[in-house]
Each structure stands twice: as C-alpha cells, then as structure tokens.
Amino acid sequence: MGNTATTTDLDVELERHRVELTGYCYRMLGSSFEAEDAVQDTLVRAWRSHDKFEGRSSLRSWLYRIATNVCLDMLTAGNKRARPMDLTEATPLAQAALSPRPDHTWLEPMPDARVLPTTADPAEAAVAKESVRLAFMAALQQLPPKQRAVLILREVLAWKASEVAELLNTSVASVNSALQRARATLAERSEAGADAAVSDPLDEEQRKLLERYVAAFEGYDMTALTALLHEDAVMTMPPFDLWLLGPSDITGFMTTLGAGCAGSRLRPVEVNGLPGFAHYKPDPEKGGFSPWAIQVLEISEGRITGFHCFLDVQRWFPLFGLPDHIEAEADQVEQGV
C-alpha cells in the first residue's frame, strides 16, 4: 500500500466518496444496482492500485476517472434504460394489458440518501436533486456514453472543461463540442413542466397537495384523486410497458385492473429528488399490509403530472430500507385509531 496511509485510513478515505460516486454512476447507468456495483468495482480497483497513485491529481479526481472507465465499459453493450413513455404510445384504458419487459429495460428508482451527498449550499443541493429526477435521467440515457459523462461532470458537478479533458484523456475543444451536442439533445427532449416546479424543500402548497393525495389514495376516492391530477398526468408501472394518460384513464385503471389496491397504505420516501411513497397493499393471506410499489410523484402548477409505480418490491423495498410487512395493529396506531 502507499507509504503514508494505513489500510484502515485508506478504507475510510475511499468510503468518504461513496455517495457522490454512486450519484455519478447512477446518472451514467440509470440503474440503482448497476451504479452500486460500479462504485464497489471502482473502490476495489482504487484500493488495489493505490500504491501506483502518484498524487498528480486529487484522490477524488482519480476516483472519478476510475468510475468513468467502469461505467463506459458497462455501457458498451449499448443498453439505454427508459421509461414506458419513451418506448410506446399511451394505451387507452379499454386496451390496457400488463406486459412485462426485462429488468434491464427500465430506468430504476434510487433513494436520495444513496446518491445525494449532504451539502450546506442550497443551490448545489437543488442542482443535485434536479439531476436525478426521472425526466432528466431519462433524457441523459439518450446521450452517447462519453457525452453523458461530459454533461454530468460539467453541468451537474461543475468541473472545469480542462479537468474533464484530463479525466477523459481528450482536448478541451473536444469536451466543449461534446457538451454543446449533449445540451442540444436535451433541449430537444425537454418536457414542459414535467417536474420543474418541485420546490426544495417542498413549499406549503406542495405539502398540502401530497396530504390530499395520501388521503385520496388511501381512501381510494377517485373523485378526490381526479381533482389532484393534471389533465396530462401520466401513470407508469415498470416492469410493465403500459402507461396511461389523463385522469379518466388513470382512475379507470385503478378501479378495474388496479382495484386490489383499495385500502392501501402509503409511507413517505425520498426518491430521485422527488416526493414518493412506499405503497403497501392489503394482504388477504397474512393480514396487515404487504409491499406493492415505490411511487414517485412529479408535480407542476399545483397538480400531479407524473405518477410512477415501480413494482419490483423484492428489489426496491430492501434498497430503501423499508419493512416487508405492516401489521394491522401497527397501522392503526400510526393512523391514530
């Protein structure tokens, strides 16, 4: 190992960078689990080759160089993760069918705590949150891998062009050109108001909107829910490629194919820089409530514009550190009954 650091010191020093590196790899890969694998690989490579690290750059820059190479290697397969509306047209309710696609198809949700380092700078925190929101993440996936890296390093992490050029072994002119092309692609894809109006922290109006949403969903009150949904609201349910557009189709689905969700319970989670909920459905076999989905909500102009339900609970609930069951008695205590 290096002659100035003990193994323990090096472990601590590397671990200090885990959250920001996970955020970087998540933006690059669009997958929670692949991001965590990439960071683990990065830290192992750094640990093994630390005696070759000559300190010509900072340890942080060196780790980003390793992480970038790991991600670029993982992206050579050309897979672009997506949301259902990136792949198909909206399905009218009358034709709704639940057809799953493989896990590697989908952009995956991520707990804020795993990708957003704590910072005292509110502007920096706001940029970090915006850059893991689903709409931005989906747009990033449309960029070629090197453009993706340039855009994240320059726009999200505020690296200088010269620093990015050194990391990628290229010229400043090449970095600036890649950034221009990446910005142009993102501008073409920008979605008007998809989630642009989510405050950080949530303002009073947004908190009240979420309270009304929880009451409407747990009460399965479709009239109340309709009043909260934007006329162009979108509902998605990965791993199914079905997506629904507009309040009537969304609430129609919830009272037909989704009717089993009546009587559910929601618990707040911080996910992708957006408000979200762990959705527990009534469990007729065990009693109480069992995991059903991680919900991610997009809000704009006092309405819900996006309602995204990630259904692979065996993967998501452990990732978020959530219990795998809520007893009816515990729920009653929480509800103040």
Side-chain angles (χ1 to χ4, degrees), residues 293-315:
I294 294 292
Q295 298 182 0
V296 185
L297 301 189
E298 294 167 326
I299 298 172
S300 183
E301 298 169 355
R303 291 282 183 275
I304 293 166
T305 55
F307 171 45
H308 306 290
C309 305
F310 293 89
L311 301 179
D312 191 353
V313 294
Q314 291 180 327
R315 301 169 81 217

Side-chain angles (χ1 to χ4, degrees), residues 152-167:
I152 297 165
L153 291 164
R154 292 282 285 118
E155 303 273 276
V156 178
L157 301 175
W159 285 38
K160 295 174 184 165
S162 57
E163 294 170 327
V164 178
E166 186 179 346
L167 182 143

Side-chain angles (χ1 to χ4, degrees), residues 136-202:
F136 184 78
M137 288 286 298
L140 278 179
Q141 298 298 301
Q142 301 306 308
L143 299 175
K146 282 209 170 162
Q147 278 186 35
R148 206 179 302 178
V150 167
L151 185 97
I152 297 165
L153 291 164
R154 292 282 285 118
E155 303 273 276
V156 178
L157 301 175
W159 285 38
K160 295 174 184 165
S162 57
E163 294 170 327
V164 178
E166 186 179 346
L167 182 143
L168 293 173
N169 291 324
T170 187
S171 66
V172 168
S174 173
V175 166
N176 289 335
S177 171
L179 181 60
Q180 276 186 318
R181 292 197 303 277
R183 281 175 175 161
T185 302
L186 259 57
E188 283 169 20
R189 285 182 51 88
S190 67
E191 298 171 32
D195 54 12
V198 180
S199 304
D200 180 33
L202 295 175

Side-chain angles (χ1 to χ4, degrees), residues 81-314:
R81 288 178 177 265
R83 303 166 300 171
M85 56 273 207
D86 301 322
L87 302 178
T88 64
E89 295 298 315
T91 308
L93 179 61
Q95 296 163 24
L98 297 176
S99 308
R101 294 203 191 189
D103 289 342
H104 62 73
T105 309
W106 304 117
L107 186 62
E108 296 178 348
M110 184 62 123
D112 286 0
R114 289 181 181 252
V115 290
L116 299 177
T118 51
T119 171
D121 182 344
E124 193 179 305
V127 168
K129 275 197 167 185
E130 285 167 18
S131 70
V132 292
R133 289 180 181 163
L134 295 174
F136 184 78
M137 288 286 298
L140 278 179
Q141 298 298 301
Q142 301 306 308
L143 299 175
K146 282 209 170 162
Q147 278 186 35
R148 206 179 302 178
V150 167
L151 185 97
I152 297 165
L153 291 164
R154 292 282 285 118
E155 303 273 276
V156 178
L157 301 175
W159 285 38
K160 295 174 184 165
S162 57
E163 294 170 327
V164 178
E166 186 179 346
L167 182 143
L168 293 173
N169 291 324
T170 187
S171 66
V172 168
S174 173
V175 166
N176 289 335
S177 171
L179 181 60
Q180 276 186 318
R181 292 197 303 277
R183 281 175 175 161
T185 302
L186 259 57
E188 283 169 20
R189 285 182 51 88
S190 67
E191 298 171 32
D195 54 12
V198 180
S199 304
D200 180 33
L202 295 175
D203 62 30
E204 185 66 19
E205 182 189 4
Q206 289 167 346
R207 283 198 301 274
K208 285 182 176 170
L209 174 65
L210 292 178
E211 286 170 12
R212 296 206 308 274
Y213 167 74
V214 171
F217 193 94
E218 292 189 343
Y220 233 57
D221 181 340
M222 295 302 131
T223 303
L225 189 60
T226 297
L228 305 178
L229 294 173
H230 191 276
E231 61 183 10
D232 294 324
V234 165
M235 179 181 182
T236 68
M237 291 162 282
F240 301 116
D241 57 14
L242 169 75
W243 64 279
L244 300 160
L245 178 64
S248 63
D249 275 4
I250 292 171
T251 55
F253 177 87
M254 290 174 67
T255 52
T256 53
L257 289 174
C261 290
S264 290
R265 293 289 176 263
L266 301 180
R267 298 291 180 266
V269 292
E270 294 184 332
V271 51
N272 285 85
L274 291 163
F277 295 94
H279 172 187
Y280 289 84
K281 199 164 94 163
D283 190 327
E285 292 177 15
K286 292 196 286 187
F289 304 87
S290 290
W292 184 248
I294 294 292
Q295 298 182 0
V296 185
L297 301 189
E298 294 167 326
I299 298 172
S300 183
E301 298 169 355
R303 291 282 183 275
I304 293 166
T305 55
F307 171 45
H308 306 290
C309 305
F310 293 89
L311 301 179
D312 191 353
V313 294
Q314 291 180 327

